[in-house]
Amino acid sequence: MKKPSDSTQHQQKMSKVKLQIDRQIAKADKDQGVCVLLTGNGKGKSSSAFGMLARSLGYGHNCAVVQFIKGDWECGEELFFSQHPKVSYHAMGAGFTWETQNQSADQAAAEKAWGLAASLLADSKIDFLILDELTYMFSHGWLDLDKVIQAIQNRPSQMNLVITGRGAPEGLITACDTVSHIKDIKHAFRSGIKAQRGIEF
Ligand code: ATP
Ligand code: MG
């Protein structure tokens, strides 16, 4: 059982915390779309992006997804969200994988995916957009970073954007509003457990 003095102290501490939070909320008065970047080697980048897609759909927003690296293998998010009437779903880049090793085909696939992403980024009817695994386009030199940053910055002001992928370049980190670096501590795969439906894909 807590002593009465403990509970008074706790109450005082909590009202200070509340005051601070209320001040921060009052200061955040800009109502504009954000660009969220999820990077790092840990698991949870794309699945977090699709979590925000579910949130946005809860409010009836118009949503779009471009998956820059996506082979022919199935994944639960595509099976589910591509059926949704408010989601325009584009699994691009069937061309580029480490399996093809064809530079010019990869470059062409990247340009094609970017062409689509750029048109969605300019579309004022889209409220929420995911550019999944976009960062690999820079690590392989398939896309020009400045061109992409310019399109991100020129998008309609209310559009929320989520970008995922390992090894995000500094320029992209600077250009985004919310950036999380997901750290890899352990992954079941390394102890020999097979990729699981609903968890991995
Ligand atoms: P998820 O889609 O599960 O959120 P992610 O987007 O963070 O993962 P990616 O780098 O895109 O990670 O890798 C996609 C696939 O690889 C997923 O099946 C994921 O579970 C798996 N994966 C992610 N991180 C690791 C890791 N550190 N070791 C092994 N496999 C991983
Ligand atoms: Mg991913």
Side-chain angles (χ1 to χ4, degrees):
M1 267 276 280
K2 274 190 171 179
K3 286 182 277 177
S5 61
D6 283 350
S7 111
T8 314
Q9 266 178 1
H10 178 74
Q11 227 170 26
Q12 283 171 348
K13 198 174 149 193
M14 284 301 119
S15 56
K16 261 192 197 164
V17 171
K18 181 174 159 30
L19 198 71
Q20 254 176 10
I21 294 172
D22 286 349
R23 276 198 199 125
Q24 280 165 356
I25 292 172
K27 249 170 71 180
D29 60 355
K30 284 183 274 182
D31 190 9
Q32 63 181 58
V34 292
C35 178
V36 178
L37 172 62
L38 303 164
T39 191
N41 293 339
K43 174 186 160 50
K45 300 173 291 294
S46 298
S47 43
S48 166
F50 286 99
M52 286 179 263
L53 172 59
R55 279 186 173 166
S56 301
L57 290 171
Y59 293 99
H61 294 173
N62 290 315
C63 300
V65 177
V66 180
Q67 288 185 297
F68 278 80
I69 296 198
K70 174 70 180 69
D72 296 331
W73 64 90
E74 67 168 34
C75 65
E77 58 268 36
E78 186 180 1
L79 292 172
F80 185 73
F81 288 112
S82 64
Q83 302 300 314
H84 198 288
K86 288 269 181 184
V87 181
S88 162
Y89 203 109
H90 309 273
M92 308 294 285
F96 38 57
T97 64
W98 42 94
E99 284 151 27
T100 62
Q101 294 152 13
N102 180 337
Q103 268 287 347
S104 59
D106 290 347
Q107 178 85 45
E111 288 296 341
K112 190 171 166 213
W114 172 248
L116 178 71
S119 69
L120 291 165
L121 273 169
D123 186 344
S124 57
K125 293 189 292 300
I126 302 289
D127 304 305
F128 176 90
L129 172 63
I130 296 178
L131 301 180
D132 190 38
E133 321 299 351
L134 174 70
T135 59
Y136 299 101
M137 304 301 107
F138 310 118
S139 29
H140 291 280
W142 289 327
L143 283 183
D144 176 52
L145 180 60
D146 290 340
K147 176 174 78 174
V148 173
I149 289 176
Q150 205 169 40
I152 290 171
Q153 288 172 339
N154 292 339
R155 76 191 192 282
S157 64
Q158 295 304 314
M159 185 190 293
N160 287 317
L161 171 65
V162 183
I163 296 169
T164 79
R166 299 177 188 205
E170 272 309 311
L172 191 61
I173 292 173
T174 306
C176 294
D177 305 298
T178 296
V179 180
S180 295
H181 188 271
I182 299 179
K183 187 178 171 187
D184 177 29
I185 294 176
K186 275 175 101 170
H187 197 288
F189 184 65
R190 291 199 292 276
S191 39
I193 304 174
K194 272 188 178 174
Q196 297 296 301
R197 277 188 163 173
I199 299 291
E200 257 77 52
F201 61 94

